[in-house]
Amino acid sequence: MITIAVDGPAASGKGTLSRQLAAHFGLHYLDTGSLYRAVGLKALNEGIDLAEENTVARIAAELDDDILDDPRLREPGVGEAASKVAMLTGVRNALLNYQREFAQRHPGAVLDGRDIATVVCPDADVKLFVTASVAERARRRYKELLQTDPLVKLEDIQAEIERRDARDCSRSAAPLHQAEDAHLLDTTNLDIETAMNAAVLLVKKAMAQQDLN
Ligand code: CDP
């Protein structure tokens, strides 16, 4: 069994890296951001005030898998709603069991998010903290969103990412920060192949260590 925790700010490349790592090692993959996005999207659809902790926590507790495939989850407005509902302890608690159970799937799992190494899986075998400069992250997210929305503006995307970073880092419930034992991967000047090679080496090292124990 191996658990790989990947954390980092918006559009840092952690999703691509995590998906590729899971495929490379034949592990399950959970994008935990999609859970918060799904709660945000449902709350928006139902016209619920995003700060209403009890109501939003109920949405989180009753979430079903269908909404996780909704393409609207990737919209910037939904990312922003996700970061607002993610501030609520009741919402985070409601999503915790699902994430921890997922991490137990055989033969192992890669989970990405903000608090995987610090709260969800503090005993993960490998912890990565993936980051990049805000300008580079905004550029990457802009390129991604342009494929479905030709009117998207780079400056709006950068502003949305900055607002979300500030909210995610300053909240009291499970704020985004690098775990002490996490490896830092700054991808500002790294292509995905180089970042992937570095991550694969760290996972192989952890696997060799497990074999020794
Ligand atoms: O894909 P991107 O990096 O833009 O964001 P995401 O991973 O889909 O996460 C959306 C929002 O959910 C974040 O801005 C966080 O506020 C929240 N989130 C969280 O609080 N904890 C997690 N483990 C994952 C996401």
Side-chain angles (χ1 to χ4, degrees):
M1 271 293 285
I2 186 158
T3 307
I4 303 174
V6 184
D7 292 301
S12 54
K14 62 185 186 307
T16 308
L17 185 76
S18 301
R19 200 169 291 111
Q20 290 193 5
L21 271 180
H24 184 92
F25 290 103
L27 305 172
H28 301 280
Y29 167 58
L30 179 63
D31 161 13
T32 66
S34 69
L35 305 175
Y36 292 91
R37 284 174 180 266
V39 176
L41 177 60
K42 264 201 119 183
L44 288 177
N45 284 346
E46 292 175 18
I48 290 164
D49 176 351
L50 298 176
E52 270 235 13
E53 183 150 6
N54 290 342
T55 321
V56 185
R58 195 167 331 118
I59 291 180
E62 291 166 0
L63 210 58
D64 75 68
D65 284 357
D66 294 354
I67 194 169
L68 298 178
D69 299 322
D70 193 318
R72 285 174 301 177
L73 290 185
R74 302 309 309 162
E75 290 175 3
V78 175
E80 188 126 24
S83 79
K84 289 184 181 161
V85 299
M87 294 167 67
L88 308 171
T89 308
V91 170
R92 307 201 70 83
N93 287 343
L95 297 176
L96 202 53
N97 268 350
Y98 177 81
Q99 297 173 79
R100 287 195 173 144
E101 279 172 16
F102 191 97
Q104 293 305 315
R105 293 193 188 177
H106 281 271
V110 183
L111 286 84
D112 82 40
R114 302 290 186 288
D115 61 339
I116 308 304
T118 50
V119 175
V120 179
C121 303
D123 298 327
D125 303 283
V126 182
K127 297 180 177 182
L128 303 174
F129 192 84
V130 184
T131 189
S133 70
V134 69
E136 178 59 19
R137 291 189 282 124
R139 199 188 59 80
R140 289 180 192 162
R141 183 53 48 90
Y142 171 71
K143 270 178 67 187
E144 190 183 317
L145 290 169
L146 257 189
Q147 295 176 6
T148 48
D149 177 5
L151 298 179
V152 70
K153 288 202 188 74
L154 178 62
E155 72 231 40
D156 293 347
I157 297 305
Q158 177 150 342
E160 186 259 341
I161 285 181
E162 284 171 354
R163 280 196 299 277
R164 212 140 55 84
D165 281 357
R167 217 178 274 126
D168 292 349
C169 294
S170 67
R171 69 186 178 212
S172 55
L176 170 67
H177 67 91
Q178 184 181 348
E180 255 176 44
D181 50 351
H183 300 275
L184 178 66
L185 261 183
D186 185 334
T187 67
T188 308
N189 299 306
L190 287 189
D191 58 19
I192 180 66
E193 201 186 331
T194 316
M196 179 64 185
N197 287 341
V200 165
L201 277 182
L202 290 167
V203 175
K204 284 188 172 161
K205 218 168 131 188
M207 285 174 158
Q209 194 63 39
Q210 276 191 346
D211 286 343
L212 284 178
N213 292 338

